[in-house]
Amino acid sequence: MNPALAAGLQIALVIGVLAIAYVPLGDYMARVYTSDKDLRVETLLYRLCRIDSRAEQTWYGYAGSLLGFSAAGVVFLYFLQRIQGVMPLHGDLAGVSPAVAFNTAVSFVTNTNWQSYVPETTMSNFTQPVGLAVQNFVSASVGMAVAVALTRAFVRVRTSGEIGNFWVDLTRGSLRILLPMSFVIALVLLSQGVVQSFHSGFSSTGLDGSAVRNALAPAASQEAIKEVGTNGGGIFNANSAHPFENPTPISNIVEIIAILIIPVSFTRTFGTLVGNARQGLTLVSVMALLWGTLLAVTLWSESNTRGIAATAAGAMMEGKEVRFGIPGSALFAVSTTGTSTGAVNSFHDSFSAGGGGALILNMLLGEIAPGGVGTGLYGILVLALIAVFVGGLLVGRTPEYLGKKLGKREITLAALSVLVMPALVLIGTGITVILGSTTGFQGNSGDPGTPGSIHGFSEVLYAFASASNNNGSAFAGLTVTSDWFQSALGIAMLFGRFLPILFVLALAGSLVSQRQHPSGAGTLPTTGGMFAGLLTGTVVLVAALTFFPALALGPIAEALQ
């Protein structure tokens, strides 16, 4: 099949499914968070944990519950990895080293799922589902809870500042949304040949006659929540390029849809909750424009040949699965870096300078195209507030969003939320590249100005962009097993996750205490093409002003070589 036709058909299929699911799934998720009834299993959980599901929390209480729950998750997951050698189904695997256990615990609790280890030889079939898979559910549900809490702040007026109940939002997101969707996706993946086994592996004879040990794992269930929850941590080292995780072009499309479906539909949830569907459509149009533009750049870059190997292959096929080719690889890569998923079905380090640069930029935009489950929505809402403020300054209109005034406190909190990620990326990258000890861990290095040193810089920039955005993917040419990378990237994950959440919840607390102001002639419209253009321009301008020098030293310089 013609590559252009194959790309077009795959993109059309993904967009078609997302369009069909947009309204029913978005409205269903809105009902989940507004229902006044609890399921029986939820009632039982509340009783066991002594939670009053009818009590609401201020942003202080909401944030405290969230941070306490996440801290407990880090501690539990750390010790589970350390003692996995004496737990069931350990498969002769010993406990994980302290540095790797810390980095992994932080990674999965923050929904980053960055992996500095080989899963088959490090994590047991007990640690994977009991530790990592559980965090795949609850960490994703945490992001959704924050987005819903911010949404409530736009439509409620609570002088005492209540924005909801974290424990109820967490439970409902996990049990009513993520669990049933993951179950359905897992069945589809099983039908395509994704393995589901608690055996540690099996032996076979290789083509050269040598004995080969093949790892097995409960991959289908892990793969489903890995994509639905925009997590990304692979149960095998090759991640979604492994035939046991992603065996066919059909399973590849299913996984891409699973990555995008909740972040896209959550904009409909937002529109339904605020009583104006056009608000959600405006946000999703901006997400679609950014996603489509970067997809076009990546497809073009990877379809053009550069170098002897690429010319012989007819495209940039190095590091890509022949099962998926350029279209399936580029579509997966842009979708995963545009969300906080981090799953990969190709070797991002092997992408062309233009394609790799587009993937880095996708994360540096703030991962709002369409972003992770929940995180994409509250991320683009924060940028929407900044766009409203800027637009109001330009035309002299009142800075309001959905009837809530944007004063000094609100804009300060929004700006702080936006600035966390750039600070972590640029400071982390800057310190790393000036440390002489770190160049030896780069897959590419050399004298300043050489292609090797330029690509090595891109590897480090990608790593900190991935960690600070809680993405989890990597160029993979960078070895991150040293104490510096384990610690620095772990800190970037923690701050990149929880500082924006704290600022967003504080913003929600400020907004919910305001009375609703009716829109008038002096209010800037926040729907339609004009505001979508303003929001898109704000997103691009913030990223361009912040990251252009870093991109110029890396992928842009490499592309001009």
Side-chain angles (χ1 to χ4, degrees):
M1 181 182 294
N2 182 281
L5 178 60
L9 290 175
Q10 291 183 61
I11 296 170
L13 179 58
V14 169
I15 293 176
V17 173
L18 294 177
I20 292 171
Y22 182 73
V23 172
L25 179 57
D27 288 348
Y28 168 74
M29 291 191 291
R31 290 194 298 271
V32 165
Y33 290 107
T34 55
S35 173
D36 57 359
K37 296 181 179 179
D38 298 324
L39 301 179
R40 290 184 179 180
V41 64
E42 294 172 350
T43 302
L44 178 61
L45 285 173
Y46 298 148
R47 287 178 180 174
L48 290 174
C49 299
R50 302 179 67 182
I51 294 171
D52 182 0
S53 62
R54 296 295 176 259
E56 295 212 350
Q57 299 169 303
T58 63
W59 83 264
Y60 294 104
Y62 205 98
S65 298
L66 186 154
L67 292 177
F69 176 76
S70 299
V74 171
V75 173
F76 171 79
L77 189 51
Y78 174 84
F79 282 107
L80 179 62
Q81 294 174 82
R82 297 287 289 134
I83 65 171
Q84 75 170 5
V86 298
M87 301 301 287
L89 302 173
H90 57 76
D92 296 326
L93 294 177
V96 180
S97 68
V100 174
F102 164 76
N103 187 278
T104 304
V106 169
S107 176
F108 276 78
V109 170
T110 59
N111 199 241
T112 311
N113 307 92
W114 174 275
Q115 294 172 294
S116 60
Y117 57 88
V118 177
E120 299 97 315
T121 59
T122 307
M123 299 296 174
S124 71
N125 284 347
F126 183 83
T127 303
Q128 291 273 15
V130 175
L132 305 186
V134 168
Q135 287 302 323
N136 282 350
F137 279 96
V138 296
S139 67
S141 188
V142 165
M144 297 164 69
V146 174
V148 171
L150 179 59
T151 302
R152 290 192 187 107
F154 287 112
V155 296
R156 285 184 173 185
V157 177
R158 297 285 192 275
T159 55
S160 50
E162 295 92 352
I163 58 173
N165 186 313
F166 169 74
W167 304 108
V168 173
D169 292 341
L170 174 74
T171 303
R172 290 185 175 186
S174 299
L175 297 183
R176 300 194 194 185
I177 299 174
L178 297 174
L179 187 60
M181 289 186 66
S182 298
F183 183 77
V184 172
I185 296 295
L187 291 179
V188 175
L189 294 178
L190 277 170
S191 72
Q192 292 300 303
V194 178
V195 302
Q196 180 75 11
S197 174
F198 282 97
H199 291 289
S200 60
F202 64 93
S203 299
S204 63
T205 302
L207 294 176
D208 60 354
S210 61
V212 178
R213 181 67 178 174
N214 303 277
L216 286 175
S221 57
Q222 176 85 4
E223 193 74 12
I225 185 56
K226 158 188 152 183
E227 313 296 17
V228 171
T230 60
N231 294 284
I235 204 164
F236 298 108
N237 194 40
N239 207 280
S240 292
H242 198 291
F244 287 176
E245 285 195 32
N246 189 9
T248 68
I250 293 177
S251 68
N252 192 59
I253 291 295
V254 170
E255 292 186 16
I256 293 171
I257 293 171
I259 290 170
L260 298 171
I261 193 166
I262 291 182
V264 168
S265 299
F266 226 60
T267 59
R268 170 69 184 191
T269 302
F270 172 75
T272 301
L273 291 176
V274 301
N276 187 344
R278 292 186 64 195
Q279 296 288 345
L281 288 172
T282 300
L283 296 180
V284 80
S285 67
V286 174
M287 294 175 173
L289 177 61
L290 296 171
W291 178 82
T293 301
L294 289 170
L295 176 60
V297 171
T298 306
L299 280 170
W300 178 84
S301 299
E302 300 309 301
S303 298
N304 286 278
T305 59
R306 184 172 181 179
I308 298 174
T311 302
M316 303 291 290
M317 280 299 296
E318 179 188 349
K320 299 180 178 66
E321 274 290 324
V322 294
R323 289 173 293 149
F324 312 133
I326 297 295
S329 300
L331 183 58
F332 198 105
V334 172
S335 298
T336 196
T337 53
T339 60
S340 61
T341 311
V344 296
N345 74 345
S346 55
F347 201 53
H348 290 185
D349 198 41
S350 293
F351 274 50
S352 65
L359 302 184
I360 296 175
L361 179 59
N362 210 7
M363 292 185 290
L364 296 180
L365 290 175
E367 288 193 326
I368 55 167
V373 288
T375 60
L377 178 61
Y378 70 69
I380 201 168
L381 283 174
V382 168
L383 286 165
L385 298 185
I386 294 175
V388 168
F389 185 73
V390 172
L393 291 177
L394 291 174
V395 299
R397 293 195 173 189
T398 305
E400 293 181 7
Y401 191 76
L402 297 175
K404 297 297 179 83
K405 289 187 177 295
L406 306 179
K408 177 182 177 181
R409 175 177 171 80
E410 289 76 24
I411 293 302
T412 299
L413 290 169
L416 288 172
S417 177
V418 169
L419 290 173
V420 169
M421 182 269 290
L424 292 172
V425 173
L426 296 177
I427 292 173
T429 302
I431 294 175
T432 300
V433 296
I434 64 174
L435 291 176
S437 59
T438 60
T439 56
F441 296 99
Q442 298 174 16
N444 296 270
S445 60
D447 295 330
T450 62
S453 69
I454 294 172
H455 194 77
F457 176 84
S458 296
E459 291 173 349
V460 175
L461 178 63
Y462 191 109
F464 278 94
S466 179
S468 303
N469 279 289
N470 302 126
N471 181 276
S473 65
F475 255 16
L478 183 70
T479 303
V480 292
T481 53
S482 69
D483 289 344
W484 164 254
F485 281 112
Q486 297 282 20
S487 302
L489 294 174
I491 292 172
M493 292 180 225
L494 279 173
F495 287 170
R497 173 71 164 182
F498 294 115
L499 282 181
I501 282 178
L502 287 177
F503 292 134
V504 167
L505 291 177
L507 176 63
S510 179
L511 291 170
V512 77
S513 61
Q514 293 185 27
R515 66 181 181 88
Q516 206 88 26
H517 299 275
S519 299
T523 303
L524 182 70
T526 55
T527 59
M530 184 185 72
F531 184 72
L534 177 62
L535 178 54
T536 303
T538 301
V539 173
V540 174
L541 189 61
V542 168
L545 291 176
T546 306
F547 293 111
F548 179 78
L551 292 170
L553 292 173
I556 294 177
E558 187 178 356
L560 296 176
Q561 287 284 327

